[in-house]
Amino acid sequence: MMHYKMTRPKALFSLLCGFLLCLVLFSPVLAAGTEKIRLDTSVPQKVTLTVGQSVIVESPAAIRKFALAAPEYADVTVLSPRQIYLIGKVPGATNATIWGVDGKIAAMLDIEIMPDVSRLKDKIHEMLPNEKDVKVTASHDALLLAGTVSNTANLSQVVALANAYAPRDKDGKSKVMNLLEVGGVHQVMLEVRVSEMSRTLMRRLGINFAYISEGGQVFGVSLLKSLSQVGSTVLNGPVLSPKDFSNTVGVGNTINGILRFSAGGATWTSFIDALKENGLTKVLAEPTLITTSGRTANFLAGGEYPIPVPQGGTTNTVTIEYKTFGVGLNFTPTVLSNNKISMEVKPEVSELDFTNAVALQGYVVPSLITRRVSTTIELADGQSFAIAGLLKEDLREVVSKFPVLGDIPILGVLFRSTSYQKNETELVIIVTPHLVKPVDMAKQTLPTDAFVDPNDFEFYLLGSLEGRGEPAKSKGAASPPRSDKGGLEGDFGHIAPK
């Protein structure tokens, strides 16, 4: 605490000299229009200063002594017996006590020194002249940012400028209270088109044959690739006749041709597996999602399949878990400005594959064929980007044959089984974001609004599934226009901001 005490007559002489000296030193400051405060001796008075700025406190009566509680925050200079000159040094708060010539306390001052925000305001206006709704104020020993900014990019720039001008704490961190809000539309609608074409080509040729002599005592069977099977009667006992032999030979599921002929009393039977197959698959999905900036939205058009999970212990308990498949989409948008969006997109397309299924305790669990993409991009409202180049080509050739016999030219075809399979898949994903806002229910249309029930004449005699009249008006909605598409296409639940 700093005390200032004055006694007569030396005090009067010292004050007079000090007054003349201060008049010379502070005349430029006073001429610049230093703020003056009239001291009220009846109640405690609050004085607010800015770092580097000053104020003159005028007392209605002569001042004998005053004391400053924390002189590290402010500096005091006596101008005259009734005037005190206060200068703010660093942000903080303190108080001052003033005594009159009668020795009694004349007044109490609560002094608060605020950071200087004028330079920060000028710098924000210089760097971001279009951000006119940013408010910068001082709160005790910190800077307070309030109002709105147009986008998140400008928000980070304003905060960075405030950190450069803000006071520091003991750890050297800037004291900035950020209450800014980002203006504009923050709801993002994402239109995704998943297009996939898959072509398959398969060629397969396999031959099994069976031979039995006229008396049934001599026979032979080829079982390559399990196209045909024989029963225990053939393996454990004599064959009495060709008819009995034929009844004990099984045929596999892949056999699509059987040829039998007799020569010299012997019977020959050929089991043929010959197949050429071409396949074409088209997948087109158009999911649409809406979410706010910074939040993740999920979409799945598919289903779930059960997976048995054996539990430990002696009870042999099996629980069921479900795994999803189909066309899925996860995306997290961040609105950077009124015409710029940053997005993290994770589309996925999966389907069940029973050819690679796993059998577990009587359950058949299929595998999944999955195509998954994860990327982050920036683009404007209404622009599109395509994730392409997801090409996949599988080629598989399998030849099973009897040793030596299968290598004989031409005749070796009878002793070998061949399989050729080729798969080609191309996947393209097109994503288009839009900034949207909710629509009034009176302007909302539904896919069912354009449907009209057919009458008996239209349904029974004309075979029409939809009537020709005008559709009924939905409650709270405008009358929808007639559409040959049945109302399945259009904007639902959103409109683009103006």
Side-chain angles (χ1 to χ4, degrees), residues 125-252:
H125 179 71
E126 177 184 352
M127 301 298 296
L128 304 169
N130 295 327
E131 298 295 344
K132 303 183 182 301
D133 296 328
V134 177
K135 299 178 181 179
V136 182
T137 57
S139 176
H140 187 46
D141 59 345
L143 292 182
L144 178 62
L145 301 178
T148 60
V149 291
S150 59
N151 54 70
T152 54
N154 290 352
L155 172 62
S156 61
Q157 295 183 20
V158 172
V159 174
L161 290 174
N163 290 331
Y165 287 87
R168 307 286 174 172
D169 57 11
K170 297 180 180 179
D171 299 330
K173 296 182 179 180
S174 58
K175 296 182 178 181
V176 177
M177 299 176 62
N178 183 13
L179 302 180
L180 288 171
E181 295 182 355
V182 180
V185 179
H186 296 275
Q187 291 189 126
V188 180
M189 182 191 71
L190 193 67
E191 294 180 351
V192 181
R193 303 188 67 184
V194 180
S195 177
E196 180 182 1
M197 292 294 294
S198 177
R199 297 180 178 89
T200 59
L201 172 62
M202 183 177 63
R203 294 194 297 263
R204 191 173 67 230
L205 177 63
I207 299 177
N208 283 183
F209 63 87
Y211 165 80
I212 183 171
S213 63
E214 181 178 4
Q217 301 300 319
V218 180
F219 64 89
V221 181
S222 67
L223 304 177
L224 187 64
K225 297 295 291 185
S226 300
L227 300 181
S228 59
Q229 303 89 23
V230 295
S232 59
T233 304
V234 176
L235 298 176
N236 300 328
V239 179
L240 300 178
S241 65
K243 180 179 180 182
D244 296 333
F245 180 83
S246 300
N247 292 334
T248 60
V249 176
V251 179

Side-chain angles (χ1 to χ4, degrees), residues 207 209 224 399-418:
I207 299 177
F209 63 87
L224 187 64
V399 178
S400 302
K401 58 185 177 181
F402 288 106
V404 181
L405 297 178
D407 296 328
I408 299 175
I410 302 177
L411 294 179
V413 177
L414 302 176
F415 301 96
R416 64 174 178 256
S417 177
T418 59

Side-chain angles (χ1 to χ4, degrees), residues 32-204:
T34 302
E35 181 182 0
K36 295 183 180 180
I37 297 178
R38 185 68 177 176
L39 186 62
D40 188 356
T41 58
S42 61
V43 294
Q45 192 167 351
K46 183 177 180 180
V47 179
T48 303
L49 292 175
T50 302
V51 174
Q53 296 184 0
S54 61
V55 66
I56 297 176
V57 180
E58 294 183 344
S59 174
I63 299 174
R64 181 181 179 184
K65 183 178 67 173
F66 61 90
L68 193 61
E72 64 271 16
Y73 293 114
D75 196 4
V76 180
T77 302
V78 177
L79 298 180
S80 69
R82 294 186 179 185
Q83 286 186 338
I84 299 175
Y85 188 74
L86 295 177
I87 302 176
K89 298 170 64 177
V90 294
T94 183
N95 56 62
T97 305
I98 299 176
W99 287 268
V101 293
D102 55 359
K104 296 181 180 180
I105 296 178
M108 296 286 295
L109 295 178
D110 292 331
I111 304 174
E112 184 177 8
I113 298 92
M114 299 289 189
D116 186 11
V117 298
S118 59
R119 294 183 299 165
L120 176 58
K121 290 180 179 180
D122 294 339
K123 184 59 67 174
I124 293 177
H125 179 71
E126 177 184 352
M127 301 298 296
L128 304 169
N130 295 327
E131 298 295 344
K132 303 183 182 301
D133 296 328
V134 177
K135 299 178 181 179
V136 182
T137 57
S139 176
H140 187 46
D141 59 345
L143 292 182
L144 178 62
L145 301 178
T148 60
V149 291
S150 59
N151 54 70
T152 54
N154 290 352
L155 172 62
S156 61
Q157 295 183 20
V158 172
V159 174
L161 290 174
N163 290 331
Y165 287 87
R168 307 286 174 172
D169 57 11
K170 297 180 180 179
D171 299 330
K173 296 182 179 180
S174 58
K175 296 182 178 181
V176 177
M177 299 176 62
N178 183 13
L179 302 180
L180 288 171
E181 295 182 355
V182 180
V185 179
H186 296 275
Q187 291 189 126
V188 180
M189 182 191 71
L190 193 67
E191 294 180 351
V192 181
R193 303 188 67 184
V194 180
S195 177
E196 180 182 1
M197 292 294 294
S198 177
R199 297 180 178 89
T200 59
L201 172 62
M202 183 177 63
R203 294 194 297 263
R204 191 173 67 230

